[in-house]
Amino acid sequence: MTDTTTRVAIVTGGSGGIGRAAAERLATDGFAVVVHYNGNKERAEETVRAITEAGGRAVTAGGDIADETAATELFDTAAREFGGVDVLVHTAGIMPLSPLATLDLDVFDRIQRVNVRGTFVVGKLAAQRLRPGGAIINFSTSITRLQPPAYGAYAASKAAVEAITLILARELRGKDITVNTVAPGPTATPLFLEGKSQELIDQIAGNNPFQRLGEPGDIAEAVAFLAGPARWVNGQTLFVNGGAA
């Protein structure tokens, strides 16, 4: 099935958390969605099932987004199934935590490969293949401003994402493609909650004026804004954290 009039989105990391919420939110806006996963096909299929049962269109596609061949197949899937691609929502990333003094450098390299190289690879492909009127939406984190201990390698990778975003926005002059970054604050996803005590979660939740964690749906609203009406927002990092930073 192909339809060049339908807007099409690729959502990396769409098998759960913020990625799933973004995929479902875009589907409600009429997007056909390619739900990317790397290791959890079953959860990606659950996202697709939720979209299709609500009347939308979606397919899964797997692969390592830091591998150019695998990432190319992701874009090929969008073209084959839906006729092209208009929006890239790049949520895929990893967040191992450790103080710098004890950080295993193999872990550091893995963080940079997934978070930095992955952003570079999919951004490169999106720059080549998105249709006019499109949008690239990368993901950073409010940690780049909050800067707590143990987040050094992760924060470094996401600061790089913010730099890549602005540079790519400027490089796409004349293409009618926006490039922005969403930087969530603490959000109730498995990635954030894993390994934290309830006491720590409550403490973190109290650090913003709303005194709660963000929900994936809160972040998905910002994605929908940047994917749709926000044509004059370009090269920006949008902090979506309830006022925590």
Side-chain angles (χ1 to χ4, degrees), residues 42-141:
E42 183 176 332
R43 286 179 60 191
E45 289 174 342
E46 290 174 2
T47 303
V48 167
R49 189 157 49 249
I51 290 171
T52 56
E53 287 177 354
R57 292 191 290 165
V59 296
T60 61
D64 176 5
I65 48 90
D67 179 89
E68 189 169 11
T69 300
T72 298
E73 177 55 30
L74 187 60
F75 283 80
D76 289 345
T77 297
R80 184 169 58 248
E81 297 291 331
F82 301 125
V85 59
D86 302 282
V87 172
L88 169 69
V89 182
H90 179 44
T91 77
I94 59 173
M95 190 178 66
L97 303 180
S98 171
L100 266 68
T102 56
L103 177 63
D104 184 326
L105 290 179
D106 287 340
V107 174
F108 176 86
D109 289 343
R110 184 161 60 92
I111 293 169
Q112 307 314 311
R113 183 181 189 279
V114 175
N115 295 357
V116 181
R117 179 187 167 98
T119 298
F120 203 96
V121 168
V122 296
K124 173 183 176 180
L125 292 167
Q128 296 169 353
R129 301 185 63 168
L130 258 60
R131 294 184 285 212
I136 298 170
I137 303 166
N138 292 321
F139 266 72
S140 180
T141 170

Side-chain angles (χ1 to χ4, degrees), residues 27-43:
T28 67
D29 286 347
F31 281 83
V33 185
V34 177
V35 178
H36 162 267
Y37 65 92
N38 185 30
N40 202 325
K41 183 177 181 180
E42 183 176 332
R43 286 179 60 191

Side-chain angles (χ1 to χ4, degrees), residues 94-98 141 143 146 148-151 154 184-207 213-214:
I94 59 173
M95 190 178 66
L97 303 180
S98 171
T141 170
I143 291 298
L146 297 170
Y151 284 83
Y154 177 67
T187 305
T189 65
L191 181 67
F192 172 78
L193 297 172
E194 182 180 1
K196 293 182 175 68
S197 67
Q198 188 60 49
E199 180 181 9
L200 178 58
I201 291 168
D202 292 342
Q203 177 186 335
I204 294 171
N207 287 339
L213 295 177

Side-chain angles (χ1 to χ4, degrees), residues 141-148 183-187 192 201-215 218-219 238-245:
T141 170
S142 291
I143 291 298
T144 58
R145 301 299 184 268
L146 297 170
Q147 301 174 345
T187 305
F192 172 78
I201 291 168
D202 292 342
Q203 177 186 335
I204 294 171
N207 287 339
N208 69 72
F210 293 99
Q211 297 182 298
R212 68 170 177 87
L213 295 177
E215 295 293 337
D218 296 324
I219 315 305
L238 179 61
F239 288 87
V240 187
N241 57 29

